[in-house]
Amino acid sequence: MDQVDADKLREAPPREKRSILPFLRGILAGAGGALIGVGVATGDVLYGVTGIVAVAIPMTAITISNHLAERHRRQSVEAMIEEIGPAMELSSVARAVTGPGGLVLQHNQPWYRMGLPVETVPEAWATAVEGGHARQFTLPGNGRQIEVSGRSLGPRASYLLLTVREVGMPPRVDPGIFEHADLGWFEMDHDGCITALNATLASWLGRTTEEIGEGRLSIFEVFRPAEYPDAGDGRFRADLLSLEEPPFPVEVVLQTDARGGSSRGGLVIDLREIVRSVEALAESAERFGRFIDDAPVGIAALAADGTVEEANPVFAELAAGSPDPELVLGKDLHKMIDLPAEDPRPSIDFAQVLAGAEGASAELRFKATPAMTMRLFATRASRLQGTQEQPTRIVYMLDVSAQKALEEQFVQSQKMQAVGQLAGGIAHDFNNLLTAIIGFCDLLLTRHGPEDESFPDVMQIKQNANRAANLVRQLLAFSRRQTLRPKVIDIRDTLNDLSTLLRRLIGANIRLDLDHAPDLGPVRVDPSQFDQVIINLVVNARDAMREGGHIQIRTRNLSRRDLRKFPSLELPPGDYVLIDVQDNGHGIPRDVLPKIFEPFFTTKEVGAGTGLGLSTVYGIVKQTGGSIVAESEPGQGTTFRIALPRHVAGSDAEEQVIEAPEKPEASAPGHETILIVEDEDAVRNFAVRALRRQGYRVLEAPTGEEAMELINGGAERIDLLVSDVVMPSMDGPSLARAARDRLPGLKVIMISGYAEEQFRKSLDPGLDFTFLAKPFSLKQLGGLVREVLDRG
């Protein structure tokens, strides 16, 4: 069997079960008839009596069965009449139940009020209902036209439920169907008195149906419609006046009398849940509106053409400079944005945002707020306008000005760090070269006096080498790798002492004012380097005011709390001293401002500057542990703001750095043994020749390993170790520690093209040495060697 046949079998109606009783009754009746016939034919009375009994049994059973069925049908009809009775009584339509012969068994009040028969109904009425049709008849006496309809009750067609309506009257709502519904129902007379209602409405009113059904309660005692507008179409809003609870809102649907035009009743709808839902929705909308208005980001709804339809205050403030949304509503967002003609990227990004491209965003500036950078995002949405949905865009706008500034500062800091590392590496290598140049010039000058014709040439070489050495020092200052000699100073005293020199530098047409806070804290800086910082800044201010002007230097304390007002300084929390150098010159262009601290960058004409002034200032301030920023607007002057750590007495140990003195060669020759370790051949050769000329016994080694071989050989006593710091394999500090282990009390001089601070922090605090910075002269080397050897 295939699937289709199986489905047909499943869909086939079940076979009706048949009773075996009629079959048995037929057999008994047939057998009884046969026995009666045999008895008559044979004259046997027994056969005849048996046959009669056999026939009587099924006949009696049939009679009893028919009687029971009739009784069951009658009981079913009575139960049905009893069941529909309450609903028929509440009905506003004339209804009656009739039995055999049209006998009226039960009727309601509308049947009676219409003057319909209360004993029997015409046979034609029953015939029409039994035929399943609604027919119209004329009532005798008053001639009114009625329509009779109905249905049979139960299995007996002689019991009918008749419904009579007057022709021309509007259909009436049958209250029976509302008896247990959640709707209220009522009827009233022409005077507005309620004559009937269902149990639901009575329960809402806190009254009984009998009490109200007497017609003593006016509709105005039930409803209070004054506070609500008419809903139209026979509907109005009202407050239902209950005896047991406060008034609550309902909607009344009136049923109107078509002939007189007056209301006869209606349905009542409880609006409490609807009102609560509307109020909750309104509260939610208000709450959501407050959430949008109070959001920390700009939010706006745009039409398809870019017109702003809705906006919160933040969006208005970012786009128009004021938190009033009216300033942006109805305006084209395209026309509010400052799209640079030279850079098409913002325009392309903005178009992608409005087009709904996935993950699209745009960084833009608005014409009303050009100093701020915004980032825009958008989501696709739609809104109902009339009966149609219109596409729209929900735009979110963030102020990323601070973030962009931090990004630019970070990029600038990374660039400055990279340039600083490059400058430091170049400076170190140049220091080695300059040490050899200056040193060999000194050696030449010992043999060629002023009367020698070569003397001017050698001096020219040395002077230019010294100029190169000064440039290298500036590079080291920028890269924060110079040797500082810090001291605790009072900036007020230092600036006051420096003011005389500054006034001579800037000229008579520029006024210089100093403004000091009375409680200014001390700082720990290298005084000579600090002087260089101030001189560089003041000279730059002078060059920005060729026609004269005003320079003001202000100092004040900067507490931890005050530091938050200057995020651009990028300093860790602490107490600082703030120095502002302000001028009213022509200012610095915006495209130039990020580059002013870079080495060799200058806006001056060729030959007017090296471009290392501000980079030197930057490096000195940074190496001191402070920060420097420049704030400028074209035509409004410039302010350089320097923050230096405020010194707390006893906070750190005072470092003692020994200067390499410029003093004449020692008259008495040296006699000690000195080991010189330097991987640069030219520097090592110069140092060896210079010290041997002064009478010292000099050993030399190009690496730390070879130096340790000489020390471990023990052939000679070594009094002083002069070693470069940075060397391949074994560096200077490692060599010094290993040499001290082998020769306790060995005196050490470290030489390097880098600053001492670059490596001192990583050394063992117990390692005692004297530092000599490259480039150094013959006199500086000889003088420091003699001084170290003479120490106890």
Side-chain angles (χ1 to χ4, degrees), residues 600-672:
F600 305 111
F601 177 83
T602 180
T603 57
K604 299 177 182 179
E605 56 273 12
V606 177
T610 63
L612 287 173
L614 287 179
S615 62
T616 301
V617 169
Y618 177 86
I620 292 171
V621 172
K622 287 290 187 178
Q623 191 172 354
T624 307
S627 178
I628 180 171
V629 294
E631 299 175 0
S632 182
E633 286 291 335
Q636 299 181 17
T638 303
T639 299
F640 282 91
R641 183 163 287 126
I642 301 172
L644 298 175
R646 188 172 179 177
H647 177 72
V648 179
S651 60
D652 52 14
E654 302 290 339
E655 294 183 13
Q656 298 295 327
V657 179
I658 298 177
E659 300 274 358
E662 273 281 5
K663 55 185 180 181
E665 295 183 57
S667 56
H671 59 278
E672 293 89 351

Side-chain angles (χ1 to χ4, degrees), residues 337-353 361-365:
I337 297 174
D338 184 10
L339 296 173
E342 68 278 3
D343 185 6
R345 190 71 221 173
S347 180
I348 296 173
D349 291 344
F350 182 55
Q352 290 181 341
V353 167
S361 66
E363 282 189 4
L364 305 169
R365 293 180 184 267

Side-chain angles (χ1 to χ4, degrees), residues 360-590:
S361 66
E363 282 189 4
L364 305 169
R365 293 180 184 267
F366 283 79
K367 295 176 181 177
T369 55
M372 303 172 68
T373 303
M374 314 298 175
R375 184 178 290 275
L376 266 67
F377 306 86
T379 57
R380 189 188 300 270
S382 61
R383 59 187 307 165
L384 193 63
Q385 187 170 355
T387 58
Q388 297 182 344
E389 284 193 349
Q390 299 294 333
T392 186
R393 282 280 180 274
I394 305 299
V395 175
Y396 304 91
M397 186 160 63
L398 302 174
D399 179 8
V400 295
S401 304
Q403 177 184 343
K404 291 295 294 180
L406 288 176
E407 288 178 359
E408 292 173 0
Q409 289 173 8
F410 178 74
V411 171
Q412 181 70 7
S413 176
Q414 292 290 96
K415 181 171 69 173
M416 296 293 279
Q417 183 178 357
V419 174
Q421 290 176 345
L422 176 62
I426 293 174
H428 173 265
D429 291 340
F430 264 92
N431 275 334
N432 281 325
L433 297 175
L434 293 173
T435 300
I437 294 172
I438 294 172
F440 282 110
C441 282
D442 286 340
L443 291 177
L444 285 173
L445 290 174
T446 61
R447 298 195 301 271
H448 301 276
E451 68 285 353
D452 195 305
E453 62 178 9
S454 300
F455 180 81
D457 298 334
V458 177
M459 286 300 298
Q460 193 66 244
I461 295 172
K462 183 175 180 179
Q463 288 172 2
N464 282 279
N466 285 329
R467 288 181 59 193
N470 186 51
L471 289 175
V472 170
R473 277 194 294 272
Q474 289 180 299
L475 285 175
L476 284 174
F478 168 74
S479 63
R480 288 166 271 173
R481 297 183 180 183
Q482 66 174 333
T483 300
L484 297 180
R485 291 156 177 83
K487 295 179 181 179
V488 178
I489 66 170
D490 187 327
I491 288 181
R492 292 172 297 186
D493 296 337
T494 302
L495 290 175
N496 289 334
D497 293 342
L498 193 61
S499 62
T500 303
L501 172 62
L502 295 176
R503 287 188 173 93
R504 284 202 301 267
L505 287 173
I506 61 179
N509 63 336
I510 297 177
R511 189 174 83 252
L512 175 66
D513 290 333
L514 303 180
D515 182 10
H516 300 304
D519 58 345
L520 196 66
V523 295
R524 187 168 181 269
V525 298
D526 185 323
S528 63
Q529 299 289 353
F530 179 75
D531 289 350
Q532 186 177 355
V533 167
I534 300 300
I535 291 172
N536 267 295
L537 295 180
V538 169
V539 168
N540 273 333
R542 177 202 65 187
D543 294 340
M545 300 181 293
R546 293 296 186 184
E547 294 79 22
H550 178 210
I551 300 175
Q552 186 174 31
I553 302 177
R554 294 189 302 270
T555 61
R556 62 188 174 99
N557 293 320
L558 198 63
S559 66
R560 290 173 181 263
R561 179 174 297 180
D562 295 334
L563 187 61
R564 300 173 187 170
K565 302 176 184 177
F566 304 98
S568 59
L569 289 172
E570 297 181 310
L571 288 169
D575 295 325
Y576 294 85
V577 172
L578 191 66
I579 305 118
D580 289 344
V581 179
Q582 183 178 10
D583 67 66
N584 60 352
H586 54 64
I588 303 174
R590 290 180 182 173

